[in-house]
Amino acid sequence: MASEEFQPLQGMADLAAPEIERWQHLESQARNLLSCYGFTEVRTPVLERVELFVRSLGDETDVVQKEMYQFEDRGGRKLALRPEGTAGVMRYVAARGQDAQDARLYYIGPMFRSERPQAGRRRQFHQLGLEAIGAAQPALDVEVIALHLHLLRSWGLSKCQLHLNTRGLAGDRVVVQQQLRERLLPHRDRLCADCQRRLDTNVLRILDCKNPTCAELVSQLPPLTSFMSEEAKAYLNEVCRLLKLLDLPFEQRPNLVRGLDYYQHTVWEITHPALGAQDAIAGGGRYVLNIGGRSIEGVGFAIGLERAIVALAAEQPDIPPTRLPLVWIIAQGDRAYEDGLRLLQSLRWRGAAAQMCLDRRSMKAQFRAADRAKASFVIVRGEAEMEKGIFLLKDLSTGVQEELDMPALMDRMKPLERANQSA
Ligand code: HAM
């Protein structure tokens, strides 16, 4: 058992090869696709004022109440590690005023929630999220949902399911909460202790409760839309109509509310069957946020990358290769060593992945090092090769060996250089 000192904090993980290759693959595919839809990247700080999250996400949400990592810095400022990305991006958008009117921004990075760690729930996790700024318009919501599905599909995830609902307008919220409270109040004693409190503080959270009795009571409630304005229902109907027009499969979930209070109109969640109890791979919706006196409307989503990786590992167990094939130079003797250093530099400058042992080991030890590094080719320069003025190129996957002079070797290396790779 490794010493605790070697371990990251509970609920957090080191990410390294070989899994990191899958992450890099997803990220680079996403960057390409998002730029086709007109999105550019924004990198906001991981630390923000606590106030930003309390006011944006809602002070009665679980994220704010229970899950934020908060502290005071040496200057007494109340700070939080970001639990999600939307609030920070909206702070950035608010600061840019008119310039950010139709901004399309995406972000990739770590988020922090101090939840009880379990499968699918981490204290540091990563989101790929995006926000399309713009007033309420069903076609924009549908464009973002279409992009969401396209992105997951482009990663190779074919078993995702889209669940859709509406949170209605700000005015609907009061009526919905009132109606829910009235219907649940007679059953107060059957609700779990948390939900009894939620009845007074934030009744919508009861709809997410996993307690079987609470879930059963919730299943008997009428759909939330039945308490909403005609405008909210018409907006949802138009979103559904456009999704059908584009042949995008979805399921309406009449009690889906999502855990953050900034949403208005469309909300959705995407699940994947490989994820178990925490089956939401991503969530999104349309929102209105007020920051520094500015009201910002937009629509966006965030994908939990750890969960996307688990889903992908289930659908596609083989990690797609992202590395260039590695060439290992093996040299014996002083002159061969120095020739090797020059060859190493020249291969790297031409864009190939090349390495060599710099500590003058035996040939056998150099071959072992090449093996450990999973090199695809070795270029051997021993005494015999020096005498003949050639290089021995060995393809380690086939065992085929060739004796080549320098120009022929460089020719053979061409397909291994980055500029010639399609990836
Ligand atoms: P969210 O539903 O809180 O939405 O998080 C989005 C995704 O992040 C979840 O579906 C899940 O995959 C992942 N996630 C959340 N918490 C954890 C955790 N503790 N461990 C692992 N993965 C987790 C938001 O954050 C909104 N900002 C999304 C959004 C953007 N809405 C509009 N724009």
Side-chain angles (χ1 to χ4, degrees), residues 263-280:
Y263 291 116
Q264 285 191 23
H265 281 309
T266 320
V267 284
W268 69 90
E269 228 156 54
I270 296 187
T271 59
H272 190 281
L275 293 181
Q278 303 302 325
D279 64 352

Side-chain angles (χ1 to χ4, degrees), residues 118 121 192 194-195 198 205-216 218 269 276-280:
Q118 50 176 283
R121 270 193 201 282
C192 71
D194 271 348
C195 285
R198 289 171 180 146
R205 293 279 75 75
I206 299 178
L207 303 184
D208 301 326
C209 185
K210 298 275 189 279
N211 176 298
T213 317
C214 300
E216 196 213 312
V218 165
E269 228 156 54
Q278 303 302 325
D279 64 352

Side-chain angles (χ1 to χ4, degrees), residues 251-271:
E251 218 180 277
Q252 262 183 272
R253 277 287 161 96
N255 289 329
L256 175 73
V257 284
R258 310 249 316 114
L260 305 164
D261 281 348
Y262 47 55
Y263 291 116
Q264 285 191 23
H265 281 309
T266 320
V267 284
W268 69 90
E269 228 156 54
I270 296 187
T271 59

Side-chain angles (χ1 to χ4, degrees), residues 47 49 71-79:
L47 266 188
R49 292 179 197 89
F71 62 96
E72 271 187 27
D73 72 359
R74 287 166 198 263
R77 285 168 285 257
K78 291 191 168 62
L79 305 179

